[in-house]
Amino acid sequence: MKIKLKIWRQKNAKAKGRFADYELANISSEMGFLEMIDALNTKLIGEKKEPVSFDHDCREGICGSCGLYINGRPHGPDARTTTCELRMRSFKDGETVVIEPWRAKSFPVIKDLVVDRTALDHIIAAGGYISVDTGAAQEANNIAVCKNASDKAFDAASCIGCGACVASCKNSSAMLFVSAKVYQLAMLPQGKIEARERVQKMTAEMDRQGFGSCSNTYACEAECPKGISVTTIARMNAEFLTAKIIAQKVG
Amino acid sequence: MTKLDAKIPAGPLAEKWRNHKNSLRLVNPANRKKLDIIVVGTGLAGAGAASALGELGYNVKVFCYQDTPRRAHSVAAQGGINAAKNYMNDGDSIYRLFYDMIKGGDYRAREANVYRAAEVGNDVIDHFTALGVPFARDYGGMLTNRSFGGVQVSRTFYARGQTGQQCLLGTYSSLSRQIGKKSVTMMSRREMLDLVIVDGKARGIIARNLVTGELERHSAHAVVLATGGYGTVYYLSTLAVNSNGSAAWIGYKNGAFFGNPSFIQIHPTSIPVLNDFQSKLTLMSESLRNDGRVWVPNEKGEKRHPNEIPEDERDYYLERRYPAFGNLVPRDVASRAAKERCDAGYGVGESGLSVYLDFKDAIKKQGEKVIEEKYGNLFEMYEKIGGTSPYKEPMRIYPAGHYTMGGLWVDYNLMTTIPGLFAIGEANFSDHGANRLGASSLMQCSGDGYFILPYTISDYLSDQIKVPSIKTELPEFEKAEKEVQDRINKLLSINGSQTPASFHKRLGKIMWDYCGMVRNEEGLKKGLQLIDELEEEFRRDVMVAGTADEFNQELEKAGRVADFFGVSRLMCIDALGRKESCGAHFREESQTETGEAKRDDDNYTYVAAWEYKGPGQAPQLHKEELNFEFVELKVRSYK
Ligand SMILES: Cc1cc2nc3c(=O)[nH]c(=O)nc-3n(C[C@H](O)[C@H](O)[C@H](O)COP(=O)(O)OP(=O)(O)OC[C@H]3O[C@@H](n4cnc5c(N)ncnc54)[C@H](O)[C@@H]3O)c2cc1C
Ligand code: SF4
Ligand code: FES
C-alpha cells in the first residue's frame, strides 16, 4: 500500500517545529507502524536527509517507550494498542497519516517525536511506593490478600507509564497515571498503611510538575493502551478526601 | 598465565554463603556516604542493587539509556520467577532448585553460586510481596505457583504473563524511593561508552548524554555493570531492540575476562519470522507449554488447516521423544527438536519454519475461562501479531535468540577480573551454565542486586574509606574521553551508503546460521571469515546520519553494531574451542546416535574465560576448572 505522512519535525527543545510531508510506497499491511517509520528512515538516510527520531524499545507493548500521536489519537486508531503493536492494516491505502509527539506542558519535546516524560518519574519518587527496606520483609505468605483485591490491584498495576492519558487530556492531567498507582497500592494490605500520605504526596508532585487538573472527561480511559479504568480515579479522590479531612481534624 | 581465583568459600554447600557473609568486612554507616558507587543498568539487577546500596547510605549514581529506569528490558519478562518456597508441598527445596539449575545448565555452572542463587530466591519473593508486586494468588489469599520447563515441581511465582513488568515496577518503586530521598542519583538517557581504570582499579565511566550528545565523566570507588544480555547479536531476537553487547564488550576490552561467550539460549516458543521487515521476534512464554501441546503433521508439506488434521495424523514429537518431561523439556532440547522437525520438512506455515502449539485439549479440559486467566494477555498479544486466535486454532511458534548465559566472568563476590568492577544479572556468566532454566533469571538478577552485591561490594569498599572521591580531571579520564570522541568522529566521518541497522541485520544472519542452535567447525570458521568481511565493509561504507552533539539514534546504533562485530567474533572463537556439546551449545560433531547432545566431561568441565589481547590479536583462553563436590555429573536425560 501507499501512505502519505505528515510528521512533526523539530530539531531540539528550543527549535521551532513544523510538519513535513513524506510519501511511502510498497508498505505491507502486515508491517508494524514503527517498522513503517524504520522504512521511512532508511529512505531518508538514502537521500542524505535526517531520519525521524522516535522512542521505542520492546516493540511488544510492555515497556511504554513508544508513544506517537497518530491522526489525532494517542497510539493511533486501535483500542488497547500501543504504537508499536499497531499494524499498517489499520490504515487505508493512500491514506494521509499525521504523526505528532505527545503534546503537554509537562512533556517538553526533545527532538521530532521524542518527548521528556521524567515528570512521571518525579511523581513516583514522591510517594508511589511502599516503604520497605531490603531485608525487612516478612515471609510472603504471612500476608493473605483476597484474590479479588489482588486481581484489581493487578489491573491497575499494568500501567506502562507511556503518558497517553496525559496526551489525550485537554487539561494535560496525569490523573489516570497517578490513580492507577494509588489504587494498586491501596488495594493491598501492604500498601494501606501509607495510603493517605501517598495520595497527598503524589498529587502535590503532580501539581508541581505542571500537569493540569482532572475535569472528568475520561478521554484518558478511552486512549489508555492498557485499559486502566477511571474507577481508579474515583477511588483516589475518595482516598484524597479522607486524607484531607483527617489532616484537618488532626490539624 | 593468570590463575583464575573464583574465591569459593570452603565448607558445606548450604553453609557457604552464610559463613562467607559473616566473614565479609563491613563499612561503618558514617563512612558509607563518602563512598561513591556507579551502577550501570536499571533492570532487576541494577535497580535492585542501586536501591539496596542507597538504603545502606552509599552515594549511588545509576545509569540507563532509556528515558526512565522503568523501561529496562526486564520489564518484558513474561512467565515467572522461581523460588523454592515449597508452598505447593510437592517436595521442593533449595537443594532441589539448585540441582535442577545445575542439571539444566548441563553441569557447566559453579555449584556454590548456583546454590546461593537458589537460597536468596526466597528472600526475593518476600521482598517483592512486601513491595506490592501482585503475584498470582489462590482463593484463600495465598500465593500460588506454576511449573516451568525442565523441572517436576511447581515453584514459579507469576503475575499473569507480565511477571517481569510487575517485578521491575516493584524494583523501580524501591529505586524511586531512594531517588526521592536523594541517596541515589538517576542518570537516564545516558549510555556508558567507556570504563575508566586508575591504578588498576575501576574508577569511573565515560557516558554520552543521549539528549545533548555531550560526553560526561563520572567517577566512583566502584563500578557495577548490570547491563543485561546481548541476545540481539542475532538482530532478530526476543529482546528489546535497543539491548546490546557494548557494556560487556567495554568491560572486556578494559581487561575483564569474558566467560563462556558462546553460551546463548535459543528460546523454543517465539512467534516465527513472518516477513522481511520485521524488527523483532515476540516471545510466547514458556509457561504456555504447561498446557499447550507441541506438534507437527505426520506428512511432509501438509497443506490442510491445523484444525482439520485428525489426531492420528499429528506428531506430538516432544511427548514422543521425551515421555518423562513431554512438552516441558528444557529450552535447548525443545528448540533443537523443533529445528530437527522443520529441517526434515515437517514444519508448517509458508516458510515451513514453524511448529504448532495447541491449546485445544487444555481448553476442553479446563474451560476457556481458566485458560484466559492464565494466559489471556499472551493470547491477545499473539492474535495482534499472528492474526489468529489461539483459543480457536493452534499458535505457530519457532525458536528465537533469547538469553545469554555467557557474560563477564565474576568470582563468588560478583567481581570481574578488574578490581572494583562488578557484574550482576544477565551481564555476568555465573549461574546458568550452558543453559538457563525458565524463570531463574529474574530470580538471579534480583538476588544479585538486592541480596548479594550489597554485601560483597561493601567488603571491597571497606579498605577504600580513606580514598577521597576520585577526580575526573585525572589523565585516565581525559584519555578515555578522547578515545570515545575519536571513535564517534570516525563513525560519523565514513559517510558511506548503508545504515547501521542493515549491517546489524546481516551480522545477525551470519550468527544465526553459523553460531546459532547448532554449530560445527567448518561453519564457525566460515562465520568468522564472514564477520571479518562484513566489518571491513562497515568501516568503509556505513552511513551514520546526523552529528555528535545532538540526540542521534543512528549514532547510538552504529556504536552498538561496531561492538557487536567483536562480540560475534569472540562467540565464534569460544564455540570453536569447545568441541563438546553441552546445553545450548550443540556441536554437530558431538552427538549421540539419537541426536542428543554429547558432553565431554573429561576435557571440557571448565568455564572458558577469555582475555582481550589488543585489536586484531587472538584472545587468550583461561580455564576455570569446575569442581563438582556435591553433585555427580550425569548424562542429562529428559526421556
Ligand atoms: C521476552 C523475554 C521474556 C523473559 N521472561 C523471563 C521469565 O519469565 N523469567 C525469567 O526469569 N527470565 C525471563 N527472561 C530473562 C530476563 O528477563 C532477563 O534475563 C533479565 O530481566 C535481565 O535483567 P538485567 O537486570 O540483568 O538486565 P536488563 O533488564 O536487560 O537491563 C539492562 C539495563 O542496562 C542498561 N544498559 C545497558 N547497556 C548500557 C550502557 N552501555 N549504558 C547505560 N545503560 C546501559 C539498560 O538501559 C537497562 O537499564 C525473559 C527475557 C526475554 C527477552
Ligand atoms: S494510565 Fe494508561 S495511558 Fe496513562 S501512562 Fe498508564 S498505561 Fe499509559
Ligand atoms: S516499544 Fe515498548 S511499548 Fe511500544
Side-chain angles (χ1 to χ4, degrees), chain A residues 167-193:
Chain A
S168 71
C169 176
K170 65 178 168 48
N171 309 325
S172 299
S173 169
M175 201 63 170
L176 194 64
F177 170 81
V178 176
S179 66
K181 187 48 74 187
V182 166
Y183 184 93
Q184 176 206 342
L185 298 180
M187 284 311 277
L188 302 168
Q190 309 92 295
K192 280 217 169 78
I193 302 157

Side-chain angles (χ1 to χ4, degrees), chain B residues 47 59 63 72 75 90 115 117 138 151 182-183 192 206 230 263 321 324 332 390 404 419 435 441 469 507 547 566 602:
Chain B
N59 186 23
F63 294 75
V75 79
D90 55 3
Y115 193 90
D138 59 26
V151 305
K182 306 214 168 5
S183 56
M192 169 181 104
I206 304 295
Y230 50 90
F263 286 180
R321 282 180 69 177
D332 54 334
T404 40
N435 172 55
S441 173
S469 278
L507 178 65
T547 62
D602 291 341

Side-chain angles (χ1 to χ4, degrees), chain B residues 142 482 529:
Chain B
M142 295 296 149
K482 181 160 184 313
Q529 181 203 335

Side-chain angles (χ1 to χ4, degrees), chain A residues 54 80 121 134 139-140 190, chain B residues 55 87 126 129 172 384 553:
Chain A
F54 62 101
R80 296 197 61 170
D121 288 325
T134 312
E139 153 60 41
Q190 309 92 295
Chain B
E55 288 160 16
Y87 286 163
D126 294 343
T129 305
Y172 161 73
K384 271 184 194 159
Q553 292 169 317

